[in-house]
Amino acid sequence: MNPDGLLTNLNQSQHAAVSSFADTLAILAGPGSGKTHTLTSRTAWLLAQGLQPWNVIVATFTVKAAREMKERIGKLIGNGMESKLILGTFHSISRRYLARYGHLIDIKKDFGIADSADSLAIIKRIVKRFEFQIDPKVARSRISGRKARTSVIDGGEIKKSAAKSIEAEEFEKCYIEYEDALKRSNLLDYDDLLLRCVDLLREHPSCVSNVEAVLIDEFQDTNLVQFDLMRLFAAHKKCITIVGDPDQSIYGFRAAEIKNYRRMLHQYPDTVTIALEENYRSSGAILLTALNVIEQDSSRVAKSLLPTHTVGTRPVLRKLAGAHKEAEWIVTEIQRIKGLTGDLLDLNDFAILLRSASLSRLIETSLGKAGIAYRMVGGLRFYDRVEIKTLLDYLRVISQPDNNDALARIINTPSRRIGESTIKSLLEEADGAKISLWSLALGIVQGKVTAKTKLKNPTEKNLSSFVNIILTARAKMGGPVEERMSTVELINFVIKKTDYEEWLVEHHGDVHKARWENVQELITQATDFQDSISFGYEDETLPEIEGLEQEDDSDHLSKFLANVALASEVKKNDEEGPTAQVTISTIHAAKGLEWPVVFVPAAYQGSIPHSRAEDTNEERRLLYVAMTRAKALLYMSYPLKNSQGEDTTLSPFLTPPSLAPHLDQKGPSLRSSTIQSIAQILRRGLPSAESISQSSASLLSVEDDLFPKEGKEDVHDMEVRLSCITGGNPTFTMGQNAPKRRRVELGRTISNPVEGNANNWKTTHATTMDRASSFTTATITMKSGFVSAGSHLQVLKEQAVNVSTQDIDEVEWPRPSKGYRSENTKKSKSLEDQGTLFNFLGKPEPKRAAPLKIETTKPFAQFSTPRAFNQPRPTAPYVAETSIDSTLSTHRLPATTNPAIRRQHLPSQAEPQAKRNDYVFLSSSPPRPKHPIVEKPLEPPPGLVAKPPLLPLIRPPICPPSRPTSVSMHETSIDRLKNAGGGVGGVGKGKTLGVRRSMNGWAARKCGNGGFVPPVMKRPSS
């Protein structure tokens, strides 16, 4: 093995860390800095210096990390040397030493491991038997915490608390009974594995006298007991290498001690510290923002992160109206990102990281409605599934019959007519007699014990059958080595004797096939484990120590069960699944993982930091860990109201003013440059234009604009808007095309909005108010609804002429042609007789300017008039000539939110001519001034009504845009409008574009030369 070859592909700081000759070395590795690569290279380099692999201990925190490290070391050094390393989690390494040397501290051979379910079941029985008031789950947590924070247990005696409360006394009693129950069943819980190993190495340090180097991964997650273990492992040579990042210490609830780094510096003052600061995961913008968050903790060990990727897009801090809107926004943003990046990203590249698992409900609902597949990290483990756990309990009882809880779970599975009450009674009887349930059951079957619990003859017979299965299996695995049953054979033996497949069909018929496939998967795993042992890959032998006797640890079944109990995850070939899925995970479970796109919702006070958190600095580190899981895009969000409808406040970690320049208020625009940056960070090829075009066809919007940046909006309005955009289906499925957005135009006339013909169309011009420069006096807008007075008079005059001469259906429109010019020679007598607005008001007509000639060479279709969705656009006529007063041609109407008000009214054909009223007010009456002008009521001409049908449809004119305008808010009461004789031109509060109104009437308003000053009119009394 060439040591120099191990130093290739390392940056400067990694090179220094791997090749350091320091006895105690601390490698501070930030997120994405290549710590695993550095640690494996360090291990291989030490072996290249002449150390033997069985004299090197490498401790990790997860089975996954141990497997990954073993594979990497194997690729670096080869020759199968990696299998000789004492490599694994703290618990598995401790179990290995206890299995070999446990007899030195009175630990029986083939002890079992009580998992979390076993521990909780024992505590529940104790609480029930003694009628304690303490919660079993709380008691279990407190027991684990006590064991993790102390390594002093002398013969099972526990230091009693000085507290004298009833709760404290109950806990102490529960603790003692729990330890006694474990001892009777020959079980060690997870914490006992570490504690008892500490006891072993303290009393017999020669057990590790051969160890020449100790390497610890994720050192920031170690507790006090693990710190002691590290020191005891390295007691002979004192050669220690730790790798960790204090900024990622987030397991305080598991008793992890962030102070252990300072303890190490105190215990080993010659420790050399090397920081790995080059980040190979995240973009520069993400790292800079994350550093600004973590540097708020003034007590942290000072170190930085240097990006190796481009700056990329700034992280997003999005404000939403509520928790429901936040969930919907996450879904729409996932769809937008995926759609605009083509085949660059799939759903596996998205992760939603939560502070609490309870926050997932709304997000899961929104993902489900949108048809987006997702996976939950930390769900039911493979080994916890009922069909698997039952078989494993049989194996546990065969290996260690004194395991009361495993025995109680299988004694009536499959059914042996031993009821649950009978099992509980037997358990209580065994606990009272200080014996195991197996000893009691065996004594009953053999006639050596008379049970206090009454058993019927069929029940006793079935119990005897069960005991025979266990005894037969134990006999088959206890013979000579060459005749012993393998683990796989034992599983098949249990399946046959219990008719297990038939039982699955009977009790789980609907999902029997899937459950039976899981059983086959268990058999496959047992086979693989057995083969690994046979080929030496799972070799757990320890080197022989002179003067120390080792127990034989050749029992494959106990090794397999220990491997299952200590496994922190499921190793399945199809773990990812054939379908791409969004990952939903807690931040704690996401540590050590990474995704191209990460969402961190609920970033508000009470969530991050959590309302029950005691250490604010740890909560800040938790957010830092979540942020540094992202490679290219990072989204953080918070709702103004949480899922309970309570007002929220932004997390204090994100409020400092220094953070504002590093955060965007909405998702980035995914242009070609942004997509290129994402592809560069992920080291992937650019997506094709075809893939982007295809994937973006169903998007609601190409920008993050479906939700307001301010977060505040009317929920009903938002739902209506989304419904309009999506054609009434705002939650379309990924992969389906959303309805195409149509050009929205103003509707038809009120008289016949659906079946009206071409006569119902009016001259308009489509524009938008997004750009003020594009707005002209002769325009209307879809958003505002402005209509010029000239346009209104022109159309009304044309329609009045046509109605007065012939029926609408008989009108023949001239065929459009280039340069066509038409004249309307027929005049409406009714319109002529009616006169003008000034005649009606009893005022002299102003001097008219020269008639304005309007020549149009294009059909009316260019002026977008309102029409209903899915209605064909009719062919409109030309207008030859219209005479409009110049003072009126520049007036336009204010906005209205009611589309019906923007429509014209045309009397139906069935309406009598005498009842038709074609007169139009140009505006509703102005507000009454402070000192009202009192005038005599004017009698309207005969044939007119006080409030013609078109009166509500017209709005007050405003000054032309050529004059400076200002936007003002005014209040107008309905009563004041009625008293002034005006139509309902506005209600309550409204906005108007134009000069600011005053209470002095409209006489003070001057709109250009010869401004139009209409008088005030009062409605005639009825």
Side-chain angles (χ1 to χ4, degrees):
M1 179 171 34
N2 182 12
D4 295 332
L6 299 173
L7 303 178
T8 59
N9 300 323
L10 298 175
N11 61 38
Q12 186 175 0
S13 55
Q14 289 174 339
H15 186 285
V18 170
S19 59
S20 175
F21 285 93
D23 288 333
T24 54
L25 175 66
I27 304 174
L28 301 184
S33 60
K35 72 173 184 61
T36 303
H37 180 50
T38 303
L39 185 59
T40 54
S41 298
R42 172 72 171 172
T43 304
W45 186 84
L46 289 174
L47 296 178
Q49 302 305 309
L51 273 63
Q52 299 301 321
W54 49 83
N55 295 333
V56 176
I57 293 178
V58 183
T60 66
F61 270 82
T62 65
V63 175
K64 178 183 178 181
R67 289 174 179 152
E68 182 181 356
M69 194 170 296
K70 182 176 288 189
E71 292 174 358
R72 291 194 182 191
I73 294 173
K75 292 178 181 178
L76 289 174
I77 63 179
N79 300 324
M81 298 292 286
E82 71 279 2
S83 62
K84 303 295 182 181
L85 286 166
I86 306 175
L87 188 154
T89 64
F90 272 101
H91 294 87
S92 65
I93 293 174
S94 298
R95 192 210 72 85
R96 191 184 305 187
Y97 274 95
L98 291 176
R100 294 290 183 177
Y101 301 111
H103 62 280
L104 298 176
I105 54 174
D106 298 326
I107 294 180
K108 296 179 181 178
K109 181 184 176 182
D110 298 333
F111 61 86
I113 299 175
D115 59 17
S116 299
D118 295 330
S119 298
L120 184 59
I122 294 171
I123 294 174
K124 282 182 177 179
R125 290 202 308 273
I126 293 172
V127 169
K128 183 178 180 181
R129 185 166 70 249
F130 292 96
E131 298 182 351
F132 290 153
Q133 299 300 315
I134 190 171
D135 184 280
K137 292 183 179 180
V138 174
R140 184 187 65 174
S141 178
R142 289 182 60 183
I143 289 173
S144 179
R146 170 181 285 192
K147 290 185 176 183
R149 290 178 173 86
T150 180
S151 56
V152 179
I153 294 183
D154 297 324
E157 295 295 329
I158 307 166
K159 295 181 180 180
K160 294 189 177 181
S161 172
K164 298 180 180 180
S165 65
I166 295 177
E167 182 182 358
E169 293 178 358
E170 285 186 355
F171 174 71
E172 295 298 337
K173 179 68 174 178
C174 182
Y175 193 115
I176 295 172
E177 290 292 330
Y178 173 74
E179 290 294 303
D180 190 41
L182 289 178
K183 188 174 183 180
R184 287 198 305 271
S185 298
N186 194 22
L187 295 175
L188 298 178
D189 63 17
Y190 291 138
D191 299 300
D192 287 334
L193 292 174
L194 304 181
L195 285 171
R196 301 301 281 158
C197 189
V198 167
D199 292 341
L200 171 66
L201 299 183
R202 279 180 174 169
E203 296 180 20
H204 303 277
S206 57
C207 295
V208 289
S209 58
N210 64 300
V211 175
E212 297 178 301
V214 176
L215 297 94
I216 308 295
D217 189 19
E218 302 287 6
F219 183 74
Q220 77 278 353
D221 295 332
T222 56
N223 57 31
L224 291 175
V225 178
Q226 290 161 338
F227 183 81
D228 283 347
L229 269 177
M230 178 197 73
R231 295 177 56 239
L232 292 170
F233 285 149
H236 182 57
K237 293 283 187 178
K238 293 183 173 59
C239 180
I240 302 173
T241 298
I242 65 164
V243 179
D245 181 13
D247 289 338
Q248 298 186 70
S249 178
I250 60 175
Y251 292 108
F253 65 96
R254 296 181 185 171
E257 283 282 346
I258 190 174
K259 297 178 181 178
N260 277 349
Y261 171 67
R262 300 189 185 277
R263 286 191 178 94
M264 181 176 178
L265 297 181
H266 178 73
Q267 293 280 343
Y268 306 95
D270 295 331
T271 299
V272 174
T273 298
I274 298 177
L276 306 183
E277 296 183 335
E278 293 187 54
N279 180 280
Y280 296 94
R281 174 187 298 159
S282 305
S283 68
I286 292 175
L287 285 185
L288 185 59
T289 308
L291 276 175
N292 271 271
V293 170
I294 197 63
E295 286 175 350
Q296 298 168 18
D297 181 6
S298 58
S299 63
R300 65 184 286 268
V301 178
K303 59 185 179 64
S304 184
L305 284 176
L306 304 176
T308 59
H309 294 301
T310 59
V311 176
T313 63
R314 290 186 296 182
V316 175
L317 179 59
R318 197 66 155 82
K319 186 189 299 183
L320 282 308
H324 289 83
K325 294 299 176 184
E326 183 182 42
E328 292 174 6
W329 168 76
I330 290 174
V331 171
T332 57
E333 197 63 8
I334 289 175
Q335 292 171 335
R336 187 178 75 92
I337 297 170
K338 190 175 182 302
L340 294 177
T341 55
D343 54 5
L344 178 63
L345 300 171
D346 63 19
L347 293 180
N348 288 326
D349 295 322
F350 294 84
I352 304 171
L353 306 184
L354 310 173
R355 172 60 181 90
S356 304
S358 59
L359 296 170
S360 69
R361 181 179 62 85
L362 294 176
I363 295 174
E364 288 186 72
T365 301
S366 295
L367 289 171
K369 287 182 178 179
I372 298 178
Y374 64 91
R375 72 170 67 89
M376 288 290 297
V377 173
L380 188 64
R381 297 190 313 145
F382 175 77
Y383 297 119
D384 290 334
R385 296 174 183 175
V386 61
E387 66 277 10
I388 302 302
K389 193 170 183 64
T390 300
L391 287 177
L392 290 176
D393 283 336
Y394 268 98
L395 296 181
R396 288 189 179 104
V397 172
I398 291 171
S399 175
Q400 184 53 254
D402 290 329
N403 189 330
N404 281 2
D405 294 282
L407 181 60
R409 287 192 292 266
I410 65 171
I411 197 171
N412 194 44
T413 305
S415 177
R416 298 182 177 90
R417 297 183 180 179
I418 305 176
E420 187 173 341
S421 58
T422 301
I423 297 174
K424 289 182 178 180
S425 179
L426 291 172
L427 271 172
E428 292 174 1
E429 184 177 343
D431 288 339
K434 301 294 183 181
I435 59 176
S436 67
L437 178 60
W438 169 255
S439 300
L440 178 61
L442 185 62
I444 293 173
V445 170
Q446 294 178 347
K448 299 179 180 179
V449 176
T450 302
K452 297 179 182 178
T453 304
K454 295 183 179 180
L455 300 177
K456 298 180 181 179
N457 290 336
T459 300
E460 191 169 341
K461 183 178 180 180
N462 291 335
L463 180 62
S464 177
S465 175
F466 168 75
V467 170
N468 286 335
I469 293 175
I470 303 302
L471 291 175
T472 303
R474 285 182 58 81
K476 290 183 176 293
M477 60 168 283
V481 177
E482 62 277 3
E483 297 180 3
R484 290 180 183 176
M485 254 188 191
S486 66
T487 303
V488 176
E489 290 173 335
L490 279 174
I491 295 175
N492 288 324
F493 171 80
V494 171
I495 290 173
K496 180 180 179 181
K497 288 293 184 179
T498 59
D499 296 326
Y500 199 64
E501 186 174 8
E502 295 179 7
W503 178 77
L504 287 177
V505 173
E506 180 180 353
H507 287 79
H508 307 282
D510 54 339
V511 289
H512 154 258
K513 185 176 181 181
R515 294 188 182 276
W516 184 248
E517 288 176 353
N518 289 335
V519 171
Q520 298 302 314
E521 172 67 18
L522 177 65
I523 295 174
T524 301
Q525 289 190 18
T527 303
D528 293 343
F529 184 81
Q530 190 170 296
D531 293 341
S532 298
I533 293 178
S534 301
F535 290 107
Y537 191 74
E538 294 287 347
D539 187 10
E540 293 189 350
T541 58
L542 295 174
E544 294 287 342
I545 305 296
E546 186 177 356
L548 288 178
E549 179 185 355
Q550 288 191 14
E551 289 277 358
D552 179 25
D553 192 23
S554 60
D555 183 6
H556 292 181
L557 177 59
S558 61
K559 288 183 179 180
F560 174 73
L561 293 174
N563 184 72
V564 169
L566 297 174
S568 61
E569 65 173 9
V570 183
K571 184 181 179 182
K572 293 189 69 178
N573 295 331
D574 60 344
E575 187 176 0
E576 291 293 327
T579 304
Q581 297 172 312
V582 174
T583 300
I584 303 177
S585 172
T586 62
I587 301 175
H588 287 97
K591 187 171 176 292
L593 305 177
E594 58 186 30
W595 293 270
V597 184
V598 169
F599 291 85
V600 184
Y604 55 81
Q605 178 77 40
S607 176
I608 304 177
H610 198 274
S611 57
R612 295 193 299 270
E614 298 178 358
D615 188 348
T616 302
N617 288 331
E618 181 169 317
E619 293 293 301
R620 183 185 292 107
R621 295 193 294 268
L622 198 62
L623 178 59
Y624 174 74
V625 168
M627 296 172 69
T628 53
R629 300 309 96 195
K631 294 182 179 181
L633 296 176
L634 171 62
Y635 289 84
M636 296 175 287
S637 61
Y638 75 101
L640 297 180
K641 291 184 180 294
N642 60 21
S643 57
Q644 284 77 41
E646 302 167 340
D647 292 337
T648 64
T649 305
L650 178 63
S651 171
F653 308 143
L654 298 174
T655 54
S658 60
L659 263 178
H662 304 295
L663 296 169
D664 276 335
Q665 293 183 353
K666 66 175 186 175
S669 297
L670 297 175
R671 302 184 179 90
S672 58
S673 58
T674 307
I675 297 174
Q676 186 176 1
S677 172
I678 295 173
Q680 185 177 355
I681 292 171
L682 302 180
R683 295 183 175 88
R684 299 178 183 177
L686 285 171
S688 63
E690 292 77 10
S691 67
I692 294 178
S693 176
Q694 182 178 1
S695 61
S696 62
S698 60
L699 292 180
L700 299 181
S701 175
V702 297
E703 297 290 340
D704 180 13
D705 56 6
L706 296 179
F707 300 83
K709 289 193 301 182
E710 297 77 12
K712 293 183 178 180
E713 69 170 1
D714 183 75
V715 177
H716 176 71
D717 290 347
M718 182 60 189
E719 292 173 352
V720 170
R721 180 157 62 91
L722 279 179
S723 179
C724 292
I725 293 174
T726 60
N729 181 19
T731 55
F732 66 92
T733 303
M734 283 293 293
Q736 296 179 351
N737 290 333
K740 293 183 178 179
R741 289 181 288 177
R742 303 178 178 86
R743 182 178 181 180
V744 180
E745 300 175 0
L746 296 177
R748 299 193 176 200
T749 61
I750 299 175
S751 60
N752 194 359
V754 178
E755 300 177 357
N757 54 28
N759 284 356
N760 293 333
W761 294 82
K762 60 187 176 185
T763 57
T764 55
H765 179 69
T767 183
T768 175
M769 289 299 291
D770 292 339
R771 295 180 180 271
S773 59
S774 68
F775 186 80
T776 62
T777 57
T779 62
I780 63 170
T781 168
M782 181 181 69
K783 293 182 179 180
S784 303
F786 286 108
V787 181
S788 70
S791 299
H792 261 292
L793 287 178
Q794 173 183 333
V795 178
L796 293 174
K797 189 171 182 178
E798 288 288 329
Q799 292 175 342
V801 170
N802 292 331
V803 170
S804 64
T805 55
Q806 59 184 15
D807 290 338
I808 295 177
D809 294 337
E810 296 176 357
V811 174
E812 295 183 5
W813 298 100
R815 183 178 297 275
S817 62
K818 186 176 181 180
Y820 177 80
R821 188 183 177 106
S822 68
E823 291 188 10
N824 234 325
T825 58
K826 297 182 179 181
K827 303 292 182 180
S828 171
K829 184 177 181 181
S830 62
L831 189 61
E832 290 176 348
D833 294 341
Q834 176 178 291
T836 64
L837 175 67
F838 300 99
N839 292 335
F840 175 75
L841 296 174
K843 299 293 181 181
E845 291 190 27
K847 185 177 180 180
R848 292 180 177 271
L852 178 64
K853 301 281 187 177
I854 300 179
E855 179 177 338
T856 40
T857 57
K858 296 183 180 181
F860 281 3
Q862 75 165 344
F863 303 114
S864 299
T865 48
R867 62 186 178 93
F869 282 146
N870 303 322
Q871 295 297 321
R873 190 193 304 268
T875 303
Y878 288 100
V879 175
E881 181 176 302
T882 305
S883 296
I884 305 177
D885 185 82
S886 60
T887 62
L888 302 181
S889 62
T890 58
H891 286 278
R892 60 177 182 261
L893 301 179
T896 177
T897 58
N898 188 351
I901 298 179
R902 295 198 296 262
R903 299 170 183 159
Q904 303 172 17
H905 177 77
L906 189 63
S908 63
Q909 299 180 34
E911 186 179 356
Q913 186 71 24
K915 294 184 179 181
R916 295 179 183 172
N917 179 16
D918 297 321
Y919 181 79
V920 181
F921 274 107
L922 282 183
S923 69
S924 55
S925 298
R928 178 179 294 180
K930 293 181 180 179
H931 303 287
I933 301 173
V934 180
E935 293 188 5
K936 286 185 178 182
L938 297 178
E939 293 293 333
L944 292 180
V945 295
K947 186 177 180 182
L950 287 179
L951 181 60
L953 309 183
I954 310 303
R955 290 291 180 268
I958 63 173
C959 288
S962 59
R963 294 175 59 84
T965 61
S966 63
V967 179
S968 64
M969 294 293 294
H970 68 279
E971 296 186 7
T972 304
S973 68
I974 299 294
D975 293 335
R976 182 174 297 175
L977 285 173
K978 291 180 179 179
N979 294 334
V984 186
V987 285
K989 293 184 178 181
K991 289 186 179 180
T992 180
L993 293 177
V995 298
R996 186 178 301 274
R997 297 184 181 182
S998 70
M999 297 304 293
N1000 295 325
W1002 288 5
R1005 175 177 170 186
K1006 304 297 181 182
C1007 298
N1009 296 329
F1012 168 52
V1013 184
V1016 177
M1017 185 194 75
K1018 295 185 68 176
R1019 177 181 298 180
S1021 58
S1022 55

